[in-house]
Amino acid sequence: MSILVGKKAPDFTVPAVLADGQIVDSFSLSETIKGKYAIVFFYPLDFTFVCPSEIIAMSHRMDKFREMGVEVVGVSIDSHFTHNAWRNTPVEQGGIGAVEYTLAADMDHAIAKAYGIESEGGDSYYPAGVAMRASFVIDQKGIVRSQVVNDEPIGRNMDELVRVVDALQFFEENGQVCPAGWNKGDKGMNTSPEGVASYLAENSKSL
């Protein structure tokens, strides 16, 4: 598995289903996210179990992500036609409905390999060859700033992705770092011995 934090997010151009339901043959990540924040999140397969809960949870937070200037792209090894069929399947029947972001088709597994999260099977709960449950937060320069990977049975908390983007934007705007458990509206920490001491004196008991 690769660690991409601090590196340029691998680009890709693949077929996809856009947020408005349009099917395209050439969706470009770099063109779509240029000058924007982005989340690229992988999931194993369409028409499965944990995956629809995550995909719908992400869609429910799209108003917040749009407010923050964040593009969201979901990726699995399924085709764009399968993505479209799943979008057109009612939620009550195990579908995901008209989710409000792009679903990209990594049919040759090149994207999962580039991001270092294609499953090799083994002691993992994933079958070999699928994308792991991985999330990448990308800044406006196209650099990966956060990377999280869960094993197959463990669904992600999409509010944590909101928090990570909030923290990244807070750091960029204020130059202060975000201590453990930081949430938007909390105080940051100055990166000096005095800053650490001042923050801990006031907040250590609540950490």
Side-chain angles (χ1 to χ4, degrees):
M1 180 178 293
S2 302
I3 301 299
L4 293 180
V5 173
K7 300 177 182 178
K8 197 80 172 178
D11 191 19
F12 54 83
T13 300
V14 292
V17 183
L18 305 183
D20 63 3
Q22 180 183 1
I23 299 175
V24 297
D25 292 326
S26 298
F27 168 82
S28 167
L29 177 69
S30 60
E31 290 179 9
T32 300
I33 71 172
K34 186 176 182 180
K36 303 177 182 178
Y37 297 92
I39 293 172
V40 176
F41 80 101
F42 294 83
Y43 62 93
L45 289 167
D46 292 349
F47 291 98
T48 52
F49 316 110
V50 176
C51 299
S53 68
E54 293 186 313
I55 291 166
I56 292 168
M58 179 68 82
S59 190
H60 287 168
R61 286 152 181 80
M62 283 307 299
D63 284 345
K64 178 62 177 175
F65 283 125
R66 282 190 288 262
E67 178 186 317
M68 300 164 78
V70 179
E71 286 283 342
V72 174
V73 181
V75 185
S76 80
I77 62 171
D78 301 278
S79 75
H80 42 313
F81 300 115
T82 306
H83 287 337
N84 188 54
W86 206 20
R87 288 180 90 256
N88 289 325
T89 301
V91 171
E92 296 78 12
Q93 296 177 21
I96 56 174
V99 295
E100 298 182 25
Y101 52 88
T102 294
L103 295 178
D106 184 22
M107 291 181 285
D108 64 1
H109 303 207
I111 308 173
K113 289 175 181 175
Y115 280 77
I117 50 80
E118 183 184 41
S119 172
E120 297 178 357
D123 288 333
S124 167
Y125 291 105
Y126 295 104
V130 304
M132 294 180 176
R133 215 174 286 290
S135 307
F136 297 82
V137 175
I138 303 167
D139 72 8
Q140 292 174 303
K141 298 177 183 178
I143 305 299
V144 175
R145 297 302 179 189
S146 176
Q147 171 178 344
V148 175
V149 183
N150 290 357
D151 209 343
E152 202 279 336
I154 306 168
R156 287 162 285 188
N157 183 338
M158 299 312 175
D159 289 327
E160 173 63 7
L161 289 173
V162 174
R163 191 191 76 85
V164 168
V165 176
D166 273 334
L168 173 60
Q169 293 180 345
F170 175 86
F171 167 72
E172 291 176 340
E173 292 167 6
N174 298 282
Q176 293 182 315
V177 293
C178 301
W182 183 93
N183 285 286
K184 188 172 183 178
D186 292 347
K187 292 183 178 180
M189 179 191 291
N190 291 318
T191 54
S192 67
E194 296 78 16
V196 175
S198 175
Y199 180 86
L200 294 179
E202 185 176 344
N203 298 283
S204 63
K205 291 183 179 179
S206 62
L207 292 175

